[in-house]
Amino acid sequence: MSNTKALPMLEPEAVAPCCPPLTERPLTAEEAERTAKMFKALGDPVRLRLFSLVASHEGGEACVCDISDVGVSQPTVSHHLKKLREAGLLTSERRGTWVYYKVAPSVLAAMGQLLTAAD
Amino acid sequence: MSNTKALPMLEPEAVAPCCPPLTERPLTAEEAERTAKMFKALGDPVRLRLFSLVASHEGGEACVCDISDVGVSQPTVSHHLKKLREAGLLTSERRGTWVYYKVAPSVLAAMGQLLTAAD
């Protein structure tokens, strides 16, 4: 088999939006397993900053080329963006030289809903 | 010095609710440092289940004595509840034999707001 240059940007094993507000009922083990991955991905200060950089960037997407001021090297930025993608928080698309990341909107909404206090 | 039996339930070093929605502007390093702690605390499946157990428990609070079905020992439950308290997600109060935990409501709201998608 020959190596192809255009690597497909595979979506991670589906991290589907999940679960009612945490105040509504206890999560099942399976729900917690799935959801904890997303929280864990945001549980690192550099990743959290990168996520907010992408989320607040013009047009709702950013590439490594847009990110220069988080105090870590570009390979490290790429590594963390990949982790965020694997957690289902970002989606990615290659355009020319760069991979562009954007927030997976339904996931953000689902996480926000999880943290909604029940009335 | 004598040991006292009634240990004060000290609040953790204030983990204040923080920051605008992640979609609004990039977090500063300091904001990310502070906020990542909360996400990290929820980034473990057992802790996330415990948090939802407390959050959804009758009266909005629970003690270790209310928790029996998460598949870990009582000392482990206590350990994780303490971690959640240290992250500022739960508050605790000793009443008689047991320590009761409840969700720190402002923190939950603040985290929910962080994850709100900007319109």
Side-chain angles (χ1 to χ4, degrees), chain A residues 1-49:
Chain A
M1 276 173 73
S2 65
N3 288 326
T4 56
K5 277 205 172 169
L7 292 171
M9 291 288 112
L10 293 174
E11 287 309 302
E13 66 277 27
V15 182
C18 166
C19 316
L22 294 175
T23 51
E24 201 172 296
R25 63 159 173 78
L27 297 183
T28 65
E30 189 273 328
E31 288 170 342
E33 197 72 49
R34 190 145 48 114
T35 308
K37 284 192 184 124
M38 295 189 279
F39 285 116
K40 190 174 179 184
L42 295 180
D44 173 272
V46 173
R47 276 203 296 276
L48 188 56
R49 278 190 86 189

Side-chain angles (χ1 to χ4, degrees), chain A residues 75-97:
Chain A
T76 303
V77 168
S78 291
H79 167 79
H80 282 306
L81 289 174
K82 190 163 162 257
K83 289 272 174 194
L84 287 165
R85 185 168 69 86
E86 285 168 358
L89 293 169
L90 297 179
T91 60
S92 65
E93 189 191 343
R94 182 179 287 279
R95 291 207 294 276
T97 311

Side-chain angles (χ1 to χ4, degrees), chain B residues 28-48:
Chain B
T28 66
E30 189 274 328
E31 287 170 344
E33 197 72 49
R34 190 143 50 110
T35 308
K37 284 192 183 124
M38 296 188 280
F39 285 116
K40 191 175 178 184
L42 295 179
D44 174 272
V46 173
R47 277 203 296 276
L48 187 57

Side-chain angles (χ1 to χ4, degrees), chain A residues 51-98:
Chain A
F51 184 81
S52 71
L53 268 162
V54 172
S56 63
H57 201 260
E58 209 184 319
E61 66 174 12
C63 76
V64 175
C65 59
D66 294 316
I67 296 168
S68 59
D69 55 354
V70 290
V72 295
S73 68
Q74 191 171 299
T76 303
V77 168
S78 291
H79 167 79
H80 282 306
L81 289 174
K82 190 163 162 257
K83 289 272 174 194
L84 287 165
R85 185 168 69 86
E86 285 168 358
L89 293 169
L90 297 179
T91 60
S92 65
E93 189 191 343
R94 182 179 287 279
R95 291 207 294 276
T97 311
W98 299 103

